[in-house]
């Protein structure tokens, strides 16, 4: 890969709650896919830099109505559940898992089935602008290796974990690790496989230690996974206080909330991502903040399975690292832009309440709303921060992970009105109206993985 320069209107969110729009900005990308510099129109060397890039055939110009955004960072995806998207959403979480999800995930002992599903999923996510994805796999080592292979081959930044679940009281006989020892061995084997993967010398694909959640794991498994994560310096992902049932289970078993329990096992680190976290309290937030642990807010799936709305405004105000997750397939939409809009919607539902029989003054939780600025920040910058990766922002030294949104495509719901729409209006309309057809180019680490340079 050789370096290049992109010129056009750039939109990103360096600070939570603020959007920065740079018109006719020049972004220099080197041969390693990192941003060398961002040059603003009107600066002393701007015209000369643009001229030289053009003469070398290295200038990629965005047209009017096209916008360069950071690549989207999805912090919670169940890769094997992709065939289940949009099904069984009428069930509560426990029933959904045991009647539909576990039987489906058990099928991934078939490598051919796994390859077909995972290829379809990665391609769909890339088409929707997801440049970084945090994946739960299944208990099957070989199938999870194939997921890592596919991420690398397709050029998506993927963090991939083999699910650990060995508790016979909560996991079905047909789908669980045969023992804690075996689950730990397979986790170690996956880490070693991904770290040695040919073509992955830059670490585009990373291994993740993945206890499904506390109910599915014995204490032996949880302690062993923490030891492995520390040994390899790996990311960790798990569910945390997702639903009434799961939250109560951990209290009954360990006498404390998920966050406190994970901390006791050594699983709460600055590379840990907690999915959902709907029922965390102030003490949990303190522990999560002190550990610099990230939270994957999954606004759409929470409506279906959590019986609660995550207090995003409160968490952000406390300085927690909160990104967004689609939670495929508990969340029935692979688009992170749709989950941006849902993050705004759910925060409004929390603030204003939803029970028409309750008095308006006591119906909701005041001060809970976020808006499109915070949602966009969570989908980009915050995702990179939560993963401790330099992505999600256009800044010197960061990976050039980016998407081009085109408002000019035919039959689009994204309509911009010259003279009426401000820069912030443009971003709002992108969040609420753009879909995969408007995303005409996708780069990861400077490599173009969707579209072409002439689109």
């Amino acid at each position: 890969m050789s370096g290049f320069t992109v010129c056009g209107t750039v939109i990103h969110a360096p600070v939570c709650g603020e959007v920065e729009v740079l018109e006719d900005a020049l972004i220099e990308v080197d041969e390693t896919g990192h941003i060398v510099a961002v040059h603003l129109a009107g600066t002393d060397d701007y015209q000369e830099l643009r001229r030289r890039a053009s003469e070398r055939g290295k200038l990629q110009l965005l047209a009017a109505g096209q916008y360069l955004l950071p690549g989207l960072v999805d912090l919670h995806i169940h890769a094997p559940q992709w065939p289940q998207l949009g099904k069984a959403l009428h069930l509560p979480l426990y029933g959904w898992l045991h009647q539909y999800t576990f039987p489906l995930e058990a099928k991934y002992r078939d490598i051919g089935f796994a390859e077909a599903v995972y290829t379809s999923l990665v391609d769909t996510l890339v088409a929707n602008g997801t440049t970084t994805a945090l994946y739960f796999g299944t208990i099957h080592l070989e199938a999870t290796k194939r997921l890592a292979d596919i991420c690398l081959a397709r050029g998506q930044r993927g963090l991939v974990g083999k699910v650990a679940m060995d508790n016979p009281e909560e996991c079905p006989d047909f789908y669980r690790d045969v023992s804690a020892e075996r689950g730990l061995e397979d986790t170690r084997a996956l880490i070693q496989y991904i770290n040695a993967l040919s073509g992955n010398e830059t670490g585009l694909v990373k291994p993740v230690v993945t206890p499904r959640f506390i109910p599915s794991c014995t204490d032996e498994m949880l302690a062993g996974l923490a030891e492995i994560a520390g040994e390899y310096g790996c990311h960790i992902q798990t569910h945390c206080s997702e639903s009434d049932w799961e939250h109560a289970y951990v209290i009954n078993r360990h006498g404390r909330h998920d966050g406190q329990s994970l901390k006791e096992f050594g699983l709460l680190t600055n590379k840990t991502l907690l999915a959902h976290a709907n029922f965390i309290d102030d003490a949990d937030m303190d522990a999560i903040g002190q550990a610099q642990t990230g939270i994957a807010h999954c606004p759409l799936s929470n409506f279906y399975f959590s019986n609660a709305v995550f207090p995003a405004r409160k968490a952000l105000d406390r300085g927690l690292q909160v990104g967004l997750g689609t939670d495929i397939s508990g969340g029935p939409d692979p688009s992170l832009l749709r989950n941006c809009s849902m993050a705004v919607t759910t925060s409004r539902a929390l603030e204003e309440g939803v029970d028409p029989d309750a008095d308006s003054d006591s119906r909701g939780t005041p001060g809970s709303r976020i808006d499109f600025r915070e949602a966009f920040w969570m989908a980009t910058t915050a995702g990179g921060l939560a993963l401790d990766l330099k992505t999600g922002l256009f800044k010197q030294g960061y990976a050039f992970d980016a998407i081009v949104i085109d408002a000019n495509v035919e039959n689009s719901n994204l309509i911009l009105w010259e003279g009426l729409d401000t820069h912030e209006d443009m971003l709002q309309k992108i969040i609420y109206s753009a879909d995969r057809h408007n995303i005409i180019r996708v780069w990861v680490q400077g490599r173009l993985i969707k579209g072409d340079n002439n689109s």
Side-chain angles (χ1 to χ4, degrees):
M1 179 178 64
S2 60
F4 58 93
T5 299
V6 179
C7 180
T9 300
V10 172
I11 306 176
H12 66 165
V15 177
C16 181
E18 298 180 14
V19 172
E20 184 174 60
V21 181
L22 310 174
E23 291 190 18
D24 294 321
L26 287 175
I27 299 183
E28 287 187 90
V29 181
D30 67 18
E31 63 278 0
T32 70
H34 289 89
I35 297 172
V36 176
V38 179
H39 302 279
L40 304 183
T43 54
D44 292 342
D45 54 353
Y46 175 88
Q47 291 297 338
E48 177 63 16
L49 289 167
R50 178 168 172 165
R51 181 187 64 79
R52 287 190 303 193
S54 179
E55 288 178 350
R56 296 197 308 269
K58 300 295 185 181
L59 182 64
Q60 299 182 25
L61 286 171
L62 301 190
Q66 295 180 346
Y67 305 92
L68 188 73
L69 275 61
L72 305 175
V73 181
D74 192 334
L75 295 180
H76 189 48
I77 303 165
H78 288 277
Q81 295 175 19
W82 178 230
Q84 190 173 292
L85 194 84
K87 295 166 58 175
L89 297 173
H90 60 289
L91 295 175
L93 178 61
Y94 190 88
W96 181 80
L97 287 172
H98 286 267
Q99 295 177 44
Y100 282 83
T101 305
F102 290 158
L104 172 60
E105 292 192 14
K107 294 180 181 295
Y108 287 78
R109 56 183 171 269
D110 179 342
I111 301 301
F113 178 71
E115 181 157 1
V117 171
Y118 291 157
T119 300
S120 171
L121 171 62
V122 172
D123 286 348
T124 301
L125 291 173
V126 168
N128 279 280
T130 299
T131 54
T132 299
L134 184 57
Y135 289 114
F136 277 61
T138 63
I139 65 171
H140 309 100
L141 175 60
E142 295 305 317
T144 309
K145 287 180 180 179
R146 288 299 298 130
L147 176 56
D149 294 341
I150 291 164
C151 288
L152 185 62
R154 291 300 200 265
Q156 185 185 54
R157 191 181 304 283
L159 295 92
V160 177
K162 187 210 84 71
V163 167
M165 43 188 293
D166 70 320
N167 182 5
E169 295 179 1
E170 292 297 334
C171 303
D173 292 340
F174 64 84
Y175 185 58
R176 69 169 184 263
D177 290 308
V178 296
S179 66
E181 181 181 10
R182 178 62 183 275
L184 295 171
E185 287 175 357
D186 285 351
T187 294
R188 188 182 297 274
L190 179 69
I191 293 170
Q192 294 172 347
Y193 176 82
I194 292 176
N195 286 343
L197 196 55
S198 177
N200 193 37
E201 290 76 18
T202 62
L204 187 73
V205 180
K206 297 182 183 297
V208 187
V209 170
T210 309
R212 188 179 200 111
F213 55 3
I214 290 173
S216 69
C217 296
T218 62
D219 288 0
E220 180 185 358
M221 178 73 88
L222 294 169
L225 291 172
E227 184 176 337
I228 290 174
E231 178 183 347
Y232 289 95
C234 282
H235 287 83
I236 301 167
Q237 61 180 343
T238 191
H239 298 81
C240 174
S241 296
E242 177 180 1
S243 68
D244 289 305
W245 162 74
E246 188 269 341
H247 184 63
Y249 174 93
V250 177
I251 293 173
N252 290 333
R253 176 171 148 188
H254 287 155
R256 50 186 179 264
H257 290 182
D258 291 39
Q260 299 294 332
S261 190
L262 292 167
K263 179 182 178 180
E264 291 295 320
F265 280 103
L267 290 166
L268 210 62
T269 75
N270 65 345
K271 285 191 172 182
T272 299
L273 268 295
L274 303 177
H276 305 289
N278 297 298
F279 294 93
I280 59 175
D281 62 13
D282 289 344
D284 296 325
M285 287 193 178
D286 288 342
I288 291 167
Q290 289 166 7
Q292 296 184 317
T293 291
I295 293 174
H297 175 28
C298 305
L300 184 53
S301 68
N302 288 346
F303 261 9
Y304 286 102
F305 292 112
S306 296
N307 316 113
V309 171
F310 173 71
R313 173 83 274 160
K314 180 178 180 181
L316 291 174
D317 288 347
R318 292 175 72 112
L320 300 189
Q321 297 177 354
V322 182
L324 290 181
T326 55
D327 193 21
I328 294 169
S329 68
D333 195 319
S335 168
L336 209 60
L337 289 176
R338 293 290 73 73
N339 279 273
C340 279
S341 65
M342 280 303 301
V344 176
T345 300
T346 57
S347 76
R348 292 285 294 271
L350 181 60
E351 180 174 271
E352 297 172 4
V354 294
D355 183 359
D357 290 331
D359 183 78
S360 61
D361 293 335
S362 59
R363 190 180 299 151
T365 305
S368 294
R369 76 172 62 190
I370 64 171
D371 65 22
F372 71 97
R373 301 172 186 88
E374 287 90 0
F376 178 60
W377 184 81
M378 287 193 284
T380 54
T381 310
L385 289 171
L387 292 171
D388 195 27
L389 298 175
K390 288 188 174 181
T391 185
L393 186 64
F394 296 121
K395 184 178 179 180
Q396 183 180 17
Y398 275 56
F400 187 72
D401 295 358
I403 63 177
V404 174
I405 300 287
D406 190 351
N408 304 315
V409 298
E410 293 184 1
N411 302 316
S412 171
N413 291 329
L414 177 60
I415 310 295
L416 303 180
W417 296 93
E418 186 176 355
L420 291 180
D421 291 332
T422 66
H423 291 318
E424 289 198 344
D425 292 336
M426 295 174 193
L427 179 58
Q428 290 185 76
K429 287 191 169 186
I430 288 169
I431 289 171
Y432 289 109
S433 302
D435 63 23
R436 61 187 292 174
H437 303 294
N438 298 105
I439 301 172
I440 61 168
R441 275 177 263 173
V442 178
W443 292 270
V444 175
Q445 197 75 41
R447 174 187 171 189
L448 189 66
I449 61 172
K450 176 184 177 179
D452 60 68
N453 293 329
N454 298 315
S455 59

